[in-house]
């Protein structure tokens, strides 16, 4: 995910957001098979909290680029050490290093990491709840996490606390355009590694993560991370964001106020459509690559927050399509999917 990629932790999350929506496991948790391109640059200020903000980060300049890849825990060869994990993140710069996560009805949890180079496995006996589900603007949370493990032959005990709040929403101005209905999470961590008979390492991190409906990764992440060994701190400040050239179509985010998630994708017989809603009448259509409506649910009433619909697509020929949600107030959301 967008975040630091070290043995200490690889914290991040992706959530579905809008000013009037609730975040949950089905719409926010990364899934195996996703690969995203992420830029990294100098630290920038996060901007204000509160409702209806506009954060201007159009001047972001990348100094490095890497891919974030999600796989099945079993495919890593170490999934058995992380029971309950639903997805593993591949460390982009260190071969054989994976972070393991679990998405559940009550939150997105980090279970630990494995590093093949040192034959080290760090499994959280008390997992870290990175994001609680359900979650919306104004949600706050605090969670303790801990583990005991052996790293490179040295016993280590980790204990700490993660705290967060969904402190703002609004428009996010990026180098490739403006993305509306972005939710920001402000997350802090305070934890310590106690390496038996050697030394202690204290960690402090502060992250501002900006999420858009239907994307399983923060659009933007602003981070300050500090590690202190024997009283000597080392800090790292940086900004990371999804590239405009990513496989997730940035064009689908621009000027689309309603976040739409389609699962499974690709699909064969049916799709589940999750979208943010302020309630009221909506129209749901499926369009082909030429923009023609090939399926339509017509006009129905959506629930406030997060709505879900199932759609039978078995009659469609194989190809690329778009689901389009149109609300009575003129807002829309579009998401591409593939029919096998």
């Amino acid at each position: 995910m967008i975040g630091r990629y070290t043995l200490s932790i690889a914290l991040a999350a992706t959530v579905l957001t809008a000013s009037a929506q609730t975040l949950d496991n089905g719409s926010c948790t990364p899934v195996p098979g996703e690969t995203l391109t992420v830029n990294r640059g100098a630290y920038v200020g996060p901007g204000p909290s509160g409702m209806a903000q506009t954060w201007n980060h159009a001047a972001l300049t990348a100094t490095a680029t890497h891919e974030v890849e999600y796989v099945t825990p079993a495919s890593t060869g170490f999934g058995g050490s992380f029971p309950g994990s639903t997805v593993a993140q591949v460390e982009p710069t260190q071969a054989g290093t994976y972070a393991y996560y679990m998405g559940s009805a009550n939150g997105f949890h980090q279970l630990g990491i494995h590093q093949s180079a040192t034959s080290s496995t760090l499994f959280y006996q008390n997992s870290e709840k990175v994001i609680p589900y359900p979650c919306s603007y104004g949600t706050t949370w605090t969670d303790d996490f801990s583990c005991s493990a052996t790293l490179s032959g040295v016993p280590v005990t980790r204990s700490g606390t993660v705290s967060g709040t969904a402190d703002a929403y609004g428009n996010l101005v990026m180098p490739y355009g403006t993305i509306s209905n972005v939710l920001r999470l402000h997350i802090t961590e305070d934890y310590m590694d106690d390496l038996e008979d050697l030394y202690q390492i204290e960690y402090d991190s502060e992250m501002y993560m900006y999420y858009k409906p239907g994307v399983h990764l923060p659009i933007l992440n602003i981070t300050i991370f500090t590690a202190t060994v024997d009283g000597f701190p080392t800090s790292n400040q940086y900004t990371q964001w999804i590239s405009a050239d990513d496989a997730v179509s940035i064009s689908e985010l621009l000027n689309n106020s309603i976040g739409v998630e389609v699962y499974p994708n690709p699909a064969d017989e049916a799709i589940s459509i999750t979208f943010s809603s302020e309630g009221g009448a909506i129209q749901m259509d499926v369009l082909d690559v030429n923009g023609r409506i090939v399926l339509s649910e017509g006009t129905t009433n959506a629930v406030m927050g997060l709505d879900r619909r199932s759609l039978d697509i078995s009659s469609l020929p194989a190809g690329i399509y778009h689901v389009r949600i149109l609300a009575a107030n003129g807002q829309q959301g579009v998401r591409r999917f593939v029919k096998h």
Side-chain angles (χ1 to χ4, degrees):
M1 293 188 174
I2 294 183
R4 57 192 181 278
Y5 294 91
T6 66
L7 185 58
S8 62
I9 198 170
L11 171 67
T14 25
V15 291
L16 181 67
T17 66
S19 59
Q21 86 175 46
T22 300
L23 318 179
D24 74 349
N25 184 38
S27 59
C28 305
T29 301
V31 296
E34 292 184 312
T35 300
L36 305 171
T37 303
V38 173
N39 293 321
R40 181 163 175 153
Y43 177 85
V44 298
S49 61
M51 299 180 290
Q53 298 294 331
T54 295
W55 303 288
N56 191 343
H57 294 295
L60 289 172
T61 301
T63 58
T65 300
H66 62 262
E67 286 190 341
V68 177
E69 180 182 3
Y70 296 106
V71 299
T72 61
S75 70
T76 68
F78 311 102
S81 299
F82 300 90
S85 60
T86 57
V87 65
Q89 177 194 319
V90 179
E91 161 62 48
T93 61
Q94 195 169 2
T97 298
Y98 307 94
Y100 295 84
Y101 299 92
M102 177 184 68
S104 69
N106 72 352
F108 180 65
H109 306 256
Q110 182 176 10
L111 302 186
I113 59 176
H114 176 85
Q115 187 180 59
S116 297
T118 58
S119 300
S120 301
T121 298
L122 189 65
F123 172 69
Y124 287 13
Q125 287 85 15
N126 182 16
S127 66
E128 178 181 4
K129 184 182 289 187
V130 182
I131 303 293
Y133 298 145
C135 181
S136 58
Y137 174 65
T139 295
T140 61
W141 68 97
T142 299
D143 186 59
D144 296 329
F145 57 94
S146 61
C147 72
S148 297
T150 300
L151 302 181
S152 301
V154 178
V156 58
T157 300
R158 171 173 291 181
S159 59
T161 301
V162 58
S163 299
T165 179
D167 73 338
Y169 67 85
N171 297 323
L172 180 62
V173 184
M174 298 295 290
Y176 40 72
T178 299
I179 302 173
S180 61
N181 280 352
V182 171
L183 179 73
R184 187 176 78 178
L185 302 187
H186 181 198
I187 300 175
T188 61
E189 286 183 302
D190 182 9
Y191 61 104
M192 181 178 68
D193 285 346
D194 187 351
L195 285 72
E196 187 175 306
D197 298 326
L198 292 176
Y199 53 85
Q200 295 177 336
I201 308 175
E202 298 179 4
Y203 304 96
D204 294 285
S205 70
E206 182 176 24
M207 292 169 285
Y208 290 87
M209 297 181 175
Y210 302 73
Y211 299 103
K212 173 68 181 182
V215 182
H216 292 161
L217 197 70
I219 301 298
L220 175 68
N221 181 8
I222 300 170
T223 296
I224 300 175
F225 177 69
T226 302
T228 302
V229 182
D230 290 336
F232 294 94
T234 301
S235 293
N236 190 11
Q237 302 182 15
Y238 55 88
T239 303
Q240 295 191 123
W241 64 97
I242 293 179
S243 169
D245 298 326
D246 194 78
V248 173
S249 176
I250 292 297
S251 64
E252 291 182 354
L253 303 180
L254 302 176
N255 302 315
N256 283 316
S257 298
I258 300 175
V260 181
E261 178 73 13
V262 176
Y263 182 84
N265 189 6
D268 293 310
E269 300 295 324
I271 54 175
S272 176
I273 303 161
T274 305
F275 58 95
S276 56
S277 170
E278 296 182 358
I282 61 101
Q283 180 172 323
M284 185 171 69
D285 301 316
V286 175
L287 291 75
D288 64 15
V289 292
N290 296 313
R292 297 173 299 198
I293 297 176
V294 293
L295 283 178
S296 179
E297 191 183 66
T299 301
T300 60
N301 287 322
V303 300
M304 176 74 75
L306 198 67
D307 203 339
R308 288 189 181 87
R309 306 292 174 91
S310 295
L311 191 62
D312 184 353
I313 61 169
S314 58
S315 63
L316 294 178
I320 298 173
Y321 298 90
H322 289 82
V323 171
R324 182 181 65 190
I325 306 293
L326 295 174
N329 61 5
Q331 292 186 337
Q332 73 166 6
V334 178
R335 192 66 168 174
R336 185 176 63 174
F337 72 93
V338 176
K339 166 68 164 60
H340 277 159

